Amino acid sequence: MIEQLSDEEAARQERHKKRIEQMQRSKRRQMLCRKFGPPAAGVILVLFLLLWAAGTFRRPVESNKNDAGQQADGKTVEIKEEFFSEKAAGAFLKAKALPETSAALEALEELCSHKTYGAITTENTLKLQDTLASGKEFFSKHAVLIDLDSKSILAQKDYKERINPASMTKILTVLVAAEHLEDVDDLDDTLTITLDITDYGFRHKCSSAGFDKDETVTVRDLFYGTVLPSGADAAVGLATYVAGDQEAFVELMNEKLEELGLSETSHFTNCVGVFDEDHYSTVYDIAMILQAAVDNELCREFLSAHIYTTSKTQQHPEGIELSNWFLRRIEDQDSGGEVLYAKTGYVEQSGSCAASYAEGKNGKGYVCVTVNANSPWRCIYDHSGLYKQFTGV
């Protein structure tokens, strides 16, 4: 039995090693594409224009080309207008056929496939004061409420000032981790909790999911443990599983910030939310990160859970019951709509924080982020009050 377990552990470690190596190769390709992709796309477009002007692509097509645009001696691919929409080249390339190469297509997909996020202030954006229109006191020192359908900022309070995101950091942690899983079967893979993993949270006095040293837990448990109780042990374990260690994982987090267009105003030094002068963001940026996370199916599963019990282990034969305190308590508040996803945070420098997503009775989506309320309950009151007043649901 021991020998069998040893073989299974060796196989798991080998599989994990190969997955990290694959992730690192993918990371190098992405970095090269982001660095050289835009200028390369520009050069390709200029060359295409020159060749078009010279008549190269206006020559009669040989008779061996079929109606679907496929040639007998080589493949071609029709580039649709919407494929280039974000690069403003669709109008020119519409209905044109270009030689298919895997490198070119991968580069173009990398350039054009990312959804952009953003919201703007309007003449109707309200600058929040210390009291809401309802007469309720507003406690948070930084806040933003965004209508995701119109991409407009409904209300804000110092929404672009630098803040420490505390454990709202973990929204990006689960998003990056989810994007680096090969498939949902990876959720059943396991990781053995090490002393380095538990010690990080202990040294920084962080909240914990409750995993013990040498306990073997599933990746699914790590995701839920990162979100619901905001466990540092779970977050560092998740980072270790994905990238080998927290430092390498933080690189992936900052790359994601760059991809989202937030790297000038946000920068993370850890995956937990521990205070650091170089670990910073804004409530606006956190709202964009939450929106990106809500667009990810796996992240929605974890950010929407109210209660979860971890897998049974030798250390915890009944599992560990985890709870999202914010979601369980805001559902009792009169906020008009329904708050579906949320992640809280706290460090002394930022007070009580939270990022939440709500759906109104009209089916519209809203994101609210607040920082520096003086208690968890008052943070909840600020979210429910903002949703009630400004979403009209």
Side-chain angles (χ1 to χ4, degrees), residues 268-330:
F268 291 172
T269 62
N270 61 85
C271 67
V272 175
V274 171
F275 177 79
D276 186 299
E277 291 290 348
D278 290 327
H279 188 91
Y280 56 83
S281 189
T282 68
V283 290
Y284 173 83
D285 288 1
I286 296 298
M288 295 301 101
I289 294 169
L290 178 58
Q291 184 183 359
V294 170
D295 282 341
N296 183 286
E297 184 177 358
L298 275 180
C299 290
R300 290 198 299 272
E301 175 185 337
F302 309 125
L303 290 166
S304 65
H306 289 218
I307 297 176
Y308 173 79
T309 301
T310 63
S311 306
K312 297 177 181 179
T313 65
Q314 181 179 354
Q315 291 83 353
H316 296 97
E318 302 301 320
I320 307 171
E321 185 174 275
L322 309 176
S323 176
N324 189 319
W325 188 91
F326 185 95
L327 284 179
R328 294 183 65 188
R329 283 158 177 76
I330 199 169

Side-chain angles (χ1 to χ4, degrees), residues 115-134:
K115 179 178 178 180
T116 57
Y117 297 91
I120 60 172
T121 57
T122 70
E123 59 182 9
N124 296 320
T125 299
L126 182 65
K127 186 173 182 180
L128 293 168
Q129 304 298 326
D130 295 333
T131 305
L132 298 175
S134 62

